Amino acid sequence: MNDTVLEKAKRTYELLAADPAVSGQAQQAAALIEKLESQEITVSMIGQFKRGKSSLSNRMLEDEILPVGIVPITSAVTKVVYGRRAAEVRFLNGVVEEIPFDRLSEFISEQENADNRLGVEEVVLHTQSEFLKNGLTFVDTPGVGSFHKNNTETAYHYMKESDAVIFLLSVDSPINQIEIDFLQSTREFAGKFYFAVNKTDTVGQADLDAYMDYCGKLLRHMMQTDEIAMFPVSAKSGEGIDTLKNAILRDCRKSAGEILTSSAEKKLRDLIGSALTQLDFYWKAMNMEYKELDDRFAAVSDAVASIKGRAADLDCLFEVHLNEMKLELSGKVKELFGMEYRYEIEELPMGLVQMDKEDFLGQVDALCDDLQKTLSGILLYREENAYAVVRRINAINRLSRSLRRIRDGLA
Ligand SMILES: Nc1nc2c(ncn2[C@@H]2O[C@H](COP(=O)(O)OP(=O)(O)OP(=O)(O)O)[C@@H](O)[C@H]2O)c(=O)[nH]1
Ligand SMILES: [Mg+2]
């Protein structure tokens, strides 16, 4: 069964990779293929802020590694995998830095890294937890709905990567609209749901029963199924944790393929949808007034000139600057043309190899020139040759049709 969705993902990748107009989606398809081939499941802890996600994660991992607290805390996606105890911070600019565990909150707490001013992309922790032994990746995420909008955005953005989710509720607060909205979005991507109800230590049995009954009905209605898996737990006392862990491990053993297939089909549907939206945009761009396109291309030229000017003045950390320039150019294309134009961001472990300046300037030039050439090509900017125009229009039509066919074949 997995083969089918894997084949569809591969076919999608081939189609997308052949057209630079959808390079962002091609990268996503490549990541999806890698995930399906590795057959490794990602289980994410998600929910509203302060439900106890990090506390419950610590309990499940039997290691007090994640910072917890009374105010909004978690601000970065934190992945946990099996291995010798170590922590690494991955920055948006590609730099990867190993840090001691006692410095974690500098990078993943809202208080110490407000609005993610340090540019953390994610943190990866390695610990020898039994729960992770069979290759499961566990992820703690920022909570949605707090004053800190960047945390909500990070959580929404990240949930697209989860295969299975532990959706954390808390017995001291019935499910609310913020949680309902978040759950509706998550349904579009995850293949399996575990609804954990935390803080059971704070109520008596009668109140807990009433809560489970009320939320159970609501969740069955929202998920349109009677098979809702609900787990009352207390991160504080440890009650119910083993039942939750065992259910997840049993499913990972018995139905990993099914969970991955279901989540991969949803992800493939989403990325095809986003590629089609992008192709739609080209129609609009091709029909734009010359003046409007001229202005946008002039803005690209300005951005390129500014990058080249800055590059000439730099004298160290060339690899980091090159990655940052790629991110800057992607941002500019998004801003001017509304499209995802992504580059491979090279990973840079600390103690990077020093690129020399000549090589760096050559790469900056190539990056800038390629972007202008590609944009002109895909948007047919000032293209006088009618044959080239027809060929491009046909290519976009063919690509859209093929993508729609794959999407229609998904469950
Ligand atoms: N009584 C009780 N308190 C809990 C339990 N789990 C967590 N808490 C408390 O709830 C508060 C929030 O815990 P966190 O684990 O930081 O919550 P979070 O969901 O990770 O919060 P954000 O990262 O800000 O989204 C802390 O004060 C915890 O001590 C529980 O099972 N029982
Ligand atoms: Mg947290």
Side-chain angles (χ1 to χ4, degrees):
M1 203 174 170
N2 246 335
D3 277 344
T4 332
V5 66
L6 180 59
E7 276 163 19
K8 284 175 189 154
K10 283 184 173 168
R11 174 90 191 105
T12 306
Y13 172 75
E14 280 162 19
L15 288 166
L16 297 174
D19 195 322
V22 277
S23 63
Q25 288 81 7
Q27 256 188 28
Q28 288 173 356
L32 187 60
I33 291 167
E34 203 181 306
K35 178 186 255 311
L36 277 166
E37 284 181 333
S38 74
Q39 285 281 300
E40 277 169 14
I41 289 199
T42 299
V43 179
S44 310
M45 179 74 79
I46 66 171
Q48 196 176 343
F49 70 109
K50 300 280 64 83
R51 293 307 190 223
K53 296 178 296 300
S54 304
S55 307
L56 182 59
S57 303
N58 284 338
R59 268 282 182 183
M60 293 178 72
L61 298 166
E62 297 174 83
D63 199 351
E64 291 293 318
I65 38 183
L66 301 163
V68 302
I70 199 84
V71 290
I73 293 284
T74 313
S75 61
V77 167
T78 311
K79 297 186 175 165
V80 195
V81 292
Y82 190 82
R84 184 186 58 82
R85 213 160 184 277
E88 66 191 32
V89 182
R90 296 171 167 260
F91 294 90
L92 290 163
N93 63 10
V95 171
V96 180
E97 185 182 349
E98 186 158 342
I99 53 152
F101 272 73
D102 59 12
R103 284 189 54 206
L104 257 183
S105 62
E106 281 174 39
F107 302 95
I108 61 174
S109 91
E110 185 56 46
Q111 281 64 40
E112 294 183 54
N113 178 19
D115 287 330
N116 195 17
R117 65 191 154 75
L118 298 176
V120 174
E121 185 183 23
E122 62 181 30
V123 168
V124 182
L125 306 178
H126 303 255
T127 180
Q128 281 169 349
S129 157
E130 278 297 309
F131 185 56
L132 307 173
K133 218 169 180 173
N134 292 326
L136 187 146
T137 299
F138 187 86
V139 186
D140 184 33
T141 67
V144 297
S146 78
F147 168 76
H148 306 283
K149 287 200 172 58
N150 56 313
N151 292 344
T152 301
E153 281 162 18
T154 306
Y156 263 90
H157 186 257
Y158 176 74
M159 54 95 177
K160 294 188 174 194
E161 286 184 38
S162 314
D163 303 310
V165 300
I166 302 171
F167 196 94
L168 192 59
L169 300 164
S170 175
V171 76
D172 55 6
S173 160
I175 189 162
N176 60 37
Q177 195 58 45
I178 291 171
E179 288 168 313
I180 290 172
D181 291 344
F182 191 39
L183 181 55
Q184 299 284 23
S185 301
T186 316
R187 271 187 64 192
E188 307 291 323
F189 298 95
K192 179 85 190 170
F193 283 83
Y194 302 90
F195 293 97
V197 178
N198 195 25
K199 308 195 186 182
T200 54
D201 57 284
T202 61
V203 293
Q205 191 61 46
D207 281 346
L208 178 59
D209 290 344
Y211 182 96
M212 296 296 281
D213 189 47
Y214 172 76
C215 281
K217 277 189 195 130
L218 215 76
L219 291 173
R220 278 191 286 278
H221 174 69
M222 278 178 59
M223 303 296 286
Q224 292 164 355
T225 169
D226 280 341
E227 287 173 29
I228 294 290
M230 285 181 84
F231 299 85
V233 294
S234 166
K236 190 174 179 187
S237 73
E239 211 170 54
I241 310 284
D242 281 343
T243 313
L244 173 62
K245 279 167 69 173
N246 288 337
I248 296 173
L249 289 176
R250 192 188 52 232
D251 291 342
C252 286
R253 238 184 353 257
K254 280 193 175 162
S255 12
E258 235 170 84
I259 295 173
L260 280 171
T261 302
S262 158
S263 92
E265 290 202 319
K266 291 177 179 182
K267 290 169 179 56
L268 193 55
R269 178 184 300 283
D270 178 64
L271 84 85
I272 289 177
S274 116
L276 288 169
T277 308
Q278 190 136 317
L279 292 174
D280 241 17
F281 163 81
Y282 294 117
W283 286 119
K284 293 194 192 103
M286 281 186 230
N287 288 317
M288 254 181 215
E289 294 291 327
Y290 256 4
K291 163 88 179 78
E292 205 176 329
L293 264 185
D294 277 346
D295 288 349
R296 293 184 197 209
F297 272 90
V300 173
S301 296
D302 289 348
V304 158
S306 147
I307 281 184
K308 285 186 178 176
R310 273 176 283 144
D313 294 337
L314 292 168
D315 47 24
C316 63
L317 293 174
F318 296 129
E319 291 89 344
V320 177
H321 289 298
L322 193 64
N323 276 349
E324 284 170 352
M325 287 167 176
K326 288 177 181 173
L327 293 172
E328 188 179 331
L329 287 176
S330 293
K332 205 73 205 169
V333 176
K334 177 100 189 168
E335 176 197 322
L336 291 168
F337 297 98
M339 68 194 237
E340 301 289 341
Y341 191 87
R342 299 233 192 106
Y343 295 93
E344 196 78 51
I345 298 296
E346 202 178 327
E347 227 174 68
L348 303 171
M350 292 305 272
L352 14 144
V353 190
Q354 185 81 43
M355 186 188 277
D356 68 34
K357 181 143 183 179
E358 200 180 324
D359 187 8
F360 169 64
L361 290 178
Q363 292 208 37
V364 171
D365 275 350
L367 200 67
C368 293
D369 298 346
D370 277 357
L371 175 68
Q372 285 175 305
K373 220 166 86 207
T374 311
L375 280 177
S376 305
I378 56 187
L379 293 170
L380 299 172
Y381 182 51
R382 296 222 172 258
E383 178 60 69
E384 303 287 343
N385 181 339
Y387 179 62
V389 174
V390 170
R391 218 174 34 193
R392 181 74 188 128
I393 290 174
N394 281 342
I396 291 186
N397 266 335
R398 255 197 325 273
L399 178 56
S400 299
R401 266 199 311 275
S402 307
L403 289 173
R404 279 202 192 89
R405 253 200 311 276
I406 297 178
R407 189 174 64 177
D408 291 345
L410 290 168

